[in-house]
Amino acid sequence: MAVPAAAMGPSTLGQSGPGSMASWCSVTSGPTRYVLGMQELFRGHSKTREFPAHSAKVHSVAWSCDGRRLASGSFDKTASVFLLEKDRLVKENNYRGHGDSVDQLCWHPSNPDLFVTASGDKTIRIWDVRTTKCIATVNTKGENINICWSPDGQTIAVGNKDDVVTFIDAKTHRSKAEEQFKFEVNEISWNNDNNMFFLTNGNGCINILSYPELKPVQSINAHPSNCICIKFDPMGKYFATGSADALVSLWDVDELVCVRCFSRLDWPVRTLSFSHDGKMLASASEDHFIDIAEVETGNLRRIFCLSPLAIRTSFVISSLHITNKPVL
């Protein structure tokens, strides 16, 4: 049975220099005018709506680059795509073909019609919403659990349960490179400049490789326990990590120093999302709510409560969306 993680501070708290947790890694006191204004806006739009999407647990959701579509992947071996219309989602299609759970998916960074799914059936599939068909199936060596698309759109990286990350050419659909790691690889991501590749691992570290050389650049001791997820802010100023210690840490991209921590969750942080303008950060765990905070201060913007049923078989959309494009 899972036990709530203690909200303990990172082991390097108070140190300085690249890869450290700076002494100001904390939430500032007192809400800003911006936060107060947005809190008022949230109070006026504080409704949530559940959308049945799958017959089994939802493992992944992601917005298209234009913020118009939401895709979901499920243990039921399918992906679904919904179209956002004002304050509701309209289901467009189901995407079938995988022989095992769809564990993660992501959209093309600049083409809103393409997305890719990673599955335990040892394949990835690229889909086009205009044709509703799979346009490519790429066989991989292991059961895939994480995937990301490079910012330039040319490469797809997929990680499997054996901690192997494969880099696939998005045009030829052939493997360009493959890296075996000696640690548990959790989530993977390029930086916004496409010249570094980041991995979070089971030792609480963030491993950084040069790209495309894939040479080790730095390993950051980010958390005292399993570092689960990572997300880059659209403005390129910060990236955030979530951990089994129930903390979210915010890092300066250039200095590689932690500038702030968010500690309102009680369970391991499973997923993160920045708003289109990089001003808000949403974080979620096994807690039945989503924490939304102002990035620059850490002040609480809003908590959305979720039902256990919604977490298991549906996804939830609030009347204010944390998307890649403004929809307010």
Side-chain angles (χ1 to χ4, degrees):
M1 182 176 67
V3 178
M8 54 193 298
S11 56
T12 51
L13 185 63
Q15 298 180 13
S16 60
S20 67
M21 309 294 276
S23 58
W24 57 86
C25 182
S26 61
V27 175
T28 59
S29 61
T32 64
R33 291 180 61 186
Y34 175 73
V35 168
L36 291 172
M38 292 307 296
Q39 284 177 338
E40 182 64 28
L41 182 62
F42 269 82
R43 278 192 290 270
H45 299 78
S46 58
K47 58 183 179 180
T48 60
R49 191 170 294 170
E50 297 181 11
F51 292 86
H54 296 275
S55 61
K57 185 177 180 180
V58 177
H59 282 178
S60 179
V61 292
W63 291 101
S64 59
C65 63
D66 61 0
R68 294 184 64 245
R69 288 182 171 91
L70 183 70
S72 59
S74 170
F75 186 74
D76 67 6
K77 306 177 185 178
T78 72
S80 294
V81 171
F82 285 72
L83 184 66
L84 178 63
E85 293 185 357
K86 296 183 178 179
D87 64 343
R88 66 184 65 243
L89 290 171
V90 178
K91 194 169 187 176
E92 278 196 324
N93 269 297
N94 280 334
Y95 296 82
R96 303 180 184 276
H98 280 297
D100 204 341
S101 170
V102 177
D103 285 323
Q104 198 170 41
L105 55 79
C106 65
W107 291 85
H108 189 286
S110 57
N111 185 337
D113 298 319
L114 299 180
F115 71 97
V116 62
T117 51
S119 172
D121 65 3
K122 299 183 180 181
T123 70
I124 69 167
R125 289 175 178 256
I126 303 174
W127 310 85
D128 190 325
V129 298
R130 294 166 296 185
T131 64
T132 70
K133 294 180 180 179
C134 174
I135 61 175
T137 300
V138 182
N139 293 311
T140 58
K141 293 183 177 180
E143 298 178 38
N144 302 309
I145 56 175
N146 45 48
I147 196 165
C148 63
W149 212 315
S150 64
D152 63 8
Q154 296 183 12
T155 309
I156 297 168
V158 57
N160 66 30
K161 289 184 177 180
D162 298 319
D163 304 313
V164 175
V165 178
T166 303
F167 296 84
I168 298 166
D169 189 297
K171 291 184 178 179
T172 66
H173 309 136
R174 295 181 180 275
S175 174
K176 298 166 61 175
E178 188 176 272
E179 289 289 320
Q180 171 73 65
F181 294 93
K182 296 181 179 180
F183 49 76
E184 175 188 319
V185 176
N186 290 323
E187 202 156 77
I188 54 180
S189 178
W190 276 271
N191 65 338
N192 294 17
D193 292 332
N194 212 103
N195 60 3
M196 289 194 291
F197 191 75
F198 287 64
L199 309 92
T200 58
N201 74 32
N203 300 321
C205 297
I206 306 166
N207 291 85
I208 307 173
L209 308 178
S210 62
Y211 188 81
E213 300 83 8
L214 298 177
K215 300 298 182 183
V217 173
Q218 190 167 346
S219 178
I220 301 173
N221 294 317
H223 294 269
S225 56
N226 196 340
C227 191
I228 297 172
C229 50
I230 184 169
K231 185 68 69 174
F232 280 80
D233 116 58
M235 302 296 103
K237 185 177 181 180
Y238 300 116
F239 67 90
T241 57
S243 169
D245 60 13
L247 289 178
V248 175
S249 56
L250 185 71
W251 298 79
D252 184 286
V253 167
D254 295 326
E255 301 296 331
L256 296 179
V257 170
C258 179
V259 296
R260 194 159 295 110
C261 292
F262 308 86
S263 59
R264 283 182 290 265
L265 299 173
D266 294 322
W267 292 77
V269 182
R270 299 294 182 185
T271 187
L272 302 164
S273 180
F274 283 95
S275 59
H276 72 279
D277 56 6
K279 291 183 178 181
M280 292 185 286
L281 175 62
S283 52
S285 67
E286 295 172 38
D287 294 283
H288 293 167
F289 61 83
I290 299 171
D291 181 285
I292 302 177
E294 185 185 30
V295 169
E296 291 294 345
T297 64
N299 285 316
L300 177 66
R301 180 75 65 77
R302 179 72 180 175
I303 290 180
F304 285 107
C305 295
L306 309 177
S307 73
L309 178 62
I311 295 171
R312 290 176 61 85
T313 62
S314 309
F315 50 74
V316 175
I317 183 170
S318 77
S319 57
L320 295 179
H321 313 287
I322 307 299
T323 66
N324 292 328
K325 296 291 181 183
V327 295
L328 296 180

